[in-house]
Amino acid sequence: MENIPPWREASSVMIVVRTTLQELVGNNLASMMNRARSSPRQLPSKNHCDYRLLMVKRSSLSSFMANAYVFPGGLVEVQDYSPRWYDVFAAHGVDRSEVQAFGKRVTGPRPAMITESVTLSCAGVTEGQDPLPSDVALRIAAIRETFEETGVLLMTRPLEQQKHQIGNGSWYSGVDLVAWQERIRKDPLLFPDFCLELGVCPDIWSLHEWWDWLTPTSVGHRRYDTMFYVCCLEKQPEVVLDQTEVITLKWCTPEEMLEEHSTNSVFLAPPQVYELSRLIHFNSFQALRTFARDRGDKGVERWLPVIITCSDGAISLLPGDEMYPRKPDYLGKSPGPDYSVGVDEMRSRQSGLHRMEVRGPICTAFCSISPPCGHLQPLTYQPDRPRAQSYL
């Protein structure tokens, strides 16, 4: 166990839903009226984004990122790799060879959590015990954790070709989903039983790989290697929060969430800020869904942010930035450097930027490089705001 990394693996999913025309018109009208009341001389900016994201707020009692708004998800468990899942897929006409070949269509880089699972290593699971491929198990973990936290079931029935039937009550008629949430939270191995009993299958095909983030060595005492997925739904599902891990939710556009973060109305961790800053490229649900589907086969890299401290804040350096170390310290054996100049001054000294600037609880993405794997640059969202000492 000496070579086991000092972090756990996690999976998270950005759930994107198409906004109905009625909701879109109503939201835009309300936004225009509010802006007109607050700034009658200022023309209202129009928000034509036709989708919303689900974000949930972590409990104040959470041991990691308490009170932060995050995408649904959580820890990967060894049960997510259980060979019992082959029976679930087989019940829907998906044989073992198809499951095992699921991730082989990816042509780009594969991060360590795909090729060398920490979860399996910690549990002492070997290939001879027939675990699921990580590409499948990590998606099942994201689906399971999303159900535990929100009651949202990202399920399908492949033989019926009825994907995204999240709101199809006939699938779950007479089933106490809240009771199942609690049971699965206590024992993840019951999740395959749940699927077999209800005749549904985890919709791994609709979770598109987005990116892999590793918690920096300087942030708290817990670290996670987290795979982010995107799942696009035609209809907004009903949400039943567990009131344990998460306590409230928001259906919002990326820009709305970044706006609230910029005014310190909500707390977001840097990876959420970064990914929301990528998503504001898209006003169209269809464009986002197409991009996520097509880009998903190009692979992902694992990014370890490296934190440096400045006189008025901190900078979270990302791979590709001119200041990013050639050999980053994955184990946190040495502290990051301190600089006596401010964050703005540090930015002015380089042209190749790929970083998050952090002042107090607020962070902002800056990127002047081309991201790998066919991905998008984050757009810098930076309205006027007061500056404060960094929390990192």
Side-chain angles (χ1 to χ4, degrees):
M1 301 290 286
E2 293 182 0
N3 296 323
I4 300 297
W7 56 73
R8 294 193 64 181
E9 292 170 333
S11 284
S12 184
V13 57
M14 296 183 281
I15 298 178
V16 180
V17 300
R18 189 192 294 273
T19 306
T20 65
L21 180 60
Q22 182 179 5
E23 291 171 329
L24 189 61
V25 171
N27 288 337
N28 284 340
L29 181 59
S31 176
M32 291 170 64
M33 292 177 66
N34 288 336
R35 289 175 183 269
R37 291 192 190 101
S38 60
S39 304
R41 296 182 181 180
Q42 182 178 357
L43 289 175
S45 62
K46 295 182 179 180
N47 179 7
H48 295 295
C49 185
D50 69 350
Y51 64 87
R52 298 294 182 267
L53 285 160
L54 175 60
M55 300 202 72
V56 294
K57 185 178 181 180
R58 297 185 64 83
S59 165
S60 61
L61 302 177
S62 296
S63 58
F64 185 76
M65 290 297 170
N67 293 314
Y69 273 91
V70 298
F71 306 119
L75 285 174
V76 178
E77 303 288 354
V78 69
Q79 292 90 341
D80 299 317
Y81 287 84
S82 171
R84 295 178 63 195
W85 283 108
Y86 286 117
D87 296 332
V88 176
F89 288 110
H92 295 275
V94 182
D95 63 30
R96 176 182 293 263
S97 63
E98 290 180 84
V99 175
Q100 292 176 338
F102 179 80
K104 293 182 179 179
R105 68 183 188 277
V106 179
T107 58
R110 310 310 293 132
M113 69 186 307
I114 296 293
T115 60
E116 303 173 54
S117 168
V118 171
T119 302
L120 291 181
S121 297
C122 287
V125 176
T126 65
E127 287 298 319
Q129 293 171 275
D130 202 23
L132 283 185
S134 291
D135 284 294
V136 176
L138 294 178
R139 285 172 168 84
I140 288 176
I143 292 170
R144 175 184 54 76
E145 283 284 343
T146 296
F147 175 56
E148 291 178 18
E149 291 182 344
T150 70
V152 173
L153 282 163
L154 301 175
M155 296 291 174
T156 186
R157 287 179 172 173
L159 292 176
E160 300 177 16
Q161 296 182 339
Q162 293 185 22
K163 293 194 175 185
H164 302 319
Q165 298 295 315
I166 308 300
N168 189 336
S170 65
W171 286 12
Y172 315 115
S173 178
V175 178
D176 188 343
L177 294 180
V178 175
W180 271 108
Q181 274 181 284
E182 182 62 25
R183 291 177 65 190
I184 293 170
R185 187 181 301 115
K186 292 179 179 178
D187 183 3
L189 195 56
L190 293 176
F191 199 30
D193 295 336
F194 169 80
C195 293
L196 288 169
E197 182 173 317
L198 272 67
V200 294
C201 179
D203 194 359
I204 59 173
W205 300 272
S206 293
L207 268 65
H208 305 295
E209 209 171 74
W210 190 258
W211 211 248
D212 177 6
W213 289 87
L214 179 60
T215 308
T217 59
S218 60
V219 178
H221 63 286
R222 295 174 184 262
R223 299 181 64 198
Y224 301 95
D225 189 4
T226 305
M227 183 68 78
F228 284 64
Y229 296 97
V230 172
C231 180
C232 297
L233 306 176
E234 288 288 344
K235 295 181 180 180
Q236 181 173 311
E238 181 180 351
V239 177
V240 181
L241 297 179
D242 69 354
Q243 297 298 329
T244 302
E245 298 179 41
V246 296
I247 56 174
T248 190
L249 65 92
K250 284 180 179 287
W251 287 103
C252 55
T253 67
E255 187 172 357
E256 287 168 349
M257 206 65 191
L258 290 171
E259 171 66 24
E260 290 194 56
H261 175 64
S262 72
T263 59
N264 201 19
S265 298
V266 301
F267 172 51
L268 297 172
Q272 274 73 22
V273 173
Y274 189 99
E275 298 305 354
L276 289 168
S277 299
R278 286 210 256 215
L279 291 175
I280 57 177
H281 280 278
F282 300 99
N283 284 329
S284 162
F285 172 87
Q286 186 58 48
L288 172 54
R289 179 164 63 180
T290 300
F291 175 82
R293 181 193 62 214
D294 295 345
R295 200 226 61 81
D297 291 344
K298 297 178 181 178
V300 301
E301 296 178 354
R302 180 173 66 189
W303 281 353
L304 169 67
V306 173
I307 310 299
I308 63 173
T309 304
C310 301
S311 62
D312 61 350
I315 300 174
S316 178
L317 299 172
L318 298 171
D321 191 284
E322 287 183 10
M323 294 187 66
Y324 194 82
R326 290 186 177 182
K327 294 183 178 181
D329 177 14
Y330 279 84
L331 302 181
K333 294 182 178 180
S334 57
D338 292 340
Y339 292 87
S340 59
V341 299
V343 169
D344 291 339
E345 173 65 22
M346 292 295 291
R347 187 189 335 126
S348 70
R349 294 179 179 182
Q350 287 87 34
S351 58
L353 302 175
H354 192 206
R355 59 185 62 184
M356 305 288 288
E357 295 183 356
V358 185
R359 294 180 174 93
I362 300 168
C363 66
T364 308
F366 288 86
C367 183
S368 63
I369 68 166
S370 296
C373 306
H375 230 310
L376 297 168
Q377 289 181 327
L379 297 178
T380 299
Y381 189 87
Q382 192 182 33
D384 294 336
R385 63 171 186 264
R387 297 184 179 183
Q389 183 62 35
S390 169
Y391 283 0
L392 294 181

